[in-house]
Amino acid sequence: MLQHIKVKTEKIYHAIEPKVKAERIIACILVLTPFILWLADDGRTLRDSISNYVYMCHSYWYGSLLALAGAMFIFNGAIHLQPQHAAQQTIKKVGKGYNIILGIALFGVIYFPHLDYPIWHYAFAILFFLGSAIITAFVSNDKKEWTRYVLAIAVVLPVVLALDFIGLFSLFWGEAISLFFIATHYLLESK
């Protein structure tokens, strides 16, 4: 009997482990993307937005990093949609399928460069950042509401403060700060 319980527990642990790894990988990619793009650019000067790195000489860095992040979001959403067998032999669906939408939004940002397709690009960018904030506020595993709401505001506020009509700092910094808080959300979710 104890051996049977141990085997089931190990199966549950191994089913959860890839999800935790995916969330931590997403966090690392999001935090490092602005820095890697800056290093990969020939000019070594900061561009006005992360999206502007699509026009750098080595733009494959931009596409690769955002595609990797997008693929990890899609993977994370898909793996969380798989049925999980609990110890009582019931099947439980785990949420987070919304990450598929965030991943698709990142692919949209890649495939529609902002100077060539501004409406589509900004629609996908808004979907990604606003969607991340909404998910952080209302779908997070964190039991403390105030933590979720503060983190959600921290995701959106830097981008808003960087917009032209406010212009507190460049959109690059707004996006980088926002990505940091989105990454923080995924690190907290991986606990």
Side-chain angles (χ1 to χ4, degrees), residues 10 12 15 23 51 73 79 81 94 113 115 120-121 125 128 132 138 153 162:
E10 287 177 4
I12 291 170
E23 289 172 343
S51 295
F73 273 103
I79 198 168
L81 287 178
V94 180
L115 296 179
W120 284 104
H121 177 84
F128 176 75
S132 294
F138 300 109
I153 291 169

Side-chain angles (χ1 to χ4, degrees), residues 32-122:
L32 294 175
T33 291
F35 179 69
I36 293 171
L37 289 174
W38 172 73
L39 285 177
D41 197 10
D42 287 338
R44 292 284 198 261
T45 58
L46 284 179
R47 292 180 180 253
D48 60 347
S49 72
I50 290 174
S51 295
N52 205 6
Y53 282 92
V54 73
Y55 300 107
M56 71 180 179
C57 181
H58 304 290
S59 61
Y60 52 84
W61 281 98
Y62 172 82
S64 298
L65 288 167
L66 266 63
L68 180 60
M72 288 304 300
F73 273 103
I74 291 169
F75 171 77
N76 192 33
I79 198 168
H80 278 291
L81 287 178
Q82 291 180 349
Q84 301 300 314
H85 299 279
Q88 299 89 7
Q89 293 292 344
T90 60
I91 295 179
K92 175 182 145 190
K93 282 280 195 184
V94 180
K96 300 193 183 192
Y98 51 78
N99 281 329
I100 295 171
I101 296 169
L102 296 179
I104 292 170
L106 282 178
F107 278 102
V109 167
I110 297 167
Y111 293 134
F112 297 101
H114 69 288
L115 296 179
D116 301 321
Y117 306 97
I119 293 172
W120 284 104
H121 177 84
Y122 292 118

Side-chain angles (χ1 to χ4, degrees), residues 27 30-32 34 129 151 154-155 173-187:
L30 292 176
V31 168
L32 294 175
F129 284 110
L151 199 54
V155 166
W173 286 112
E175 292 168 332
I177 293 167
S178 182
L179 289 175
F180 172 80
F181 287 113
I182 294 169
T184 301
H185 162 75
Y186 280 95
L187 285 176

